[in-house]
Amino acid sequence: MESTESSYALSAERRIKRSSDFLLILKSKGPDVLRLCNHWFELKVRKTTAVAGVRFGFTVGKVNAKRSVDRVLIKRILRESARNRIPVFSVLCRNENMGIDISLRLKRKFPKIDGNTSLDAVKKDMRSAVDSLLLKLEKVVVKRFKENL
């Protein structure tokens, strides 16, 4: 019997893992690509032919988060937000007969946690930033890619 924890996980087929796939998204230009960003993250979306195929990729470089613990924490926040938005993006893509690959990248340095900075406050700020990006994407993606059909 499948555990409830695994049914809520971001499955392997929903993830971008290969470097070549990340490179394809990052180097893509034109009407099939959309880029959004805020103070924490950059989001780049590439339209694909896989119907209702929604894949997420997460990049947190050592330049922006020196400690591996911080990189893992940031990826966990990104995965959680992505996991919650997959049903919405799947329905949107199925209705428009398309698929999307979404790359989320940390674009600014992770702050040092000391007496002035609370880890919980940073986590909440990151979570709200990625949620707002994904919500914005939800509103823009169909309109943008529909214009280019």
Side-chain angles (χ1 to χ4, degrees):
M1 184 169 181
E2 188 176 316
S3 71
T4 57
E5 194 172 86
S6 65
S7 64
Y8 289 105
L10 188 61
S11 61
E13 64 266 5
R14 296 284 190 187
R15 290 191 189 186
I16 301 168
K17 293 247 182 186
R18 297 185 328 197
S19 297
S20 59
D21 291 341
F22 277 105
L23 194 60
L24 189 62
I25 295 169
L26 295 176
K27 298 258 181 189
S28 295
K29 294 181 181 177
D32 288 345
V33 178
L34 177 65
R35 182 180 172 270
L36 302 170
C37 59
N38 60 23
H39 62 284
W40 279 112
F41 301 105
E42 177 187 33
L43 181 145
K44 198 157 184 185
V45 182
R46 181 177 164 271
K47 182 179 170 184
T48 64
T49 56
V51 176
V54 179
R55 295 190 314 160
F56 282 90
F58 311 107
T59 309
V60 181
K62 288 182 184 177
V63 170
N64 291 327
K66 298 236 182 272
R67 298 180 339 145
S68 63
V69 191
D70 296 335
R71 291 192 301 273
V72 169
L73 172 71
I74 295 164
K75 286 182 182 181
R76 189 178 309 127
I77 291 167
L78 292 172
R79 274 195 311 268
E80 179 66 15
S81 286
R83 183 185 63 80
N84 289 328
R85 303 308 299 166
I86 278 188
V88 175
F89 287 122
S90 291
V91 169
L92 286 173
C93 288
R94 190 176 304 113
N95 291 344
E96 297 302 322
N97 210 23
M98 67 177 195
I100 55 175
D101 285 348
I102 303 168
S103 172
L104 281 158
R105 180 182 72 85
L106 180 67
K107 71 172 198 174
R108 110 177 203 206
K109 291 194 181 291
F110 188 78
K112 289 188 178 184
I113 305 302
D114 55 16
N116 298 332
T117 310
S118 161
L119 180 61
D120 285 339
V122 172
K123 285 167 48 176
K124 285 178 184 175
D125 188 34
M126 285 184 148
R127 178 61 191 257
S128 67
V130 73
D131 283 344
S132 70
L133 265 182
L134 292 173
L135 188 60
K136 189 175 184 180
L137 175 64
E138 182 185 326
K139 294 175 182 176
V140 173
V141 72
V142 172
K143 180 182 175 186
R144 167 74 182 269
F145 292 145
K146 202 173 196 179
E147 291 172 356
N148 300 315
L149 290 177

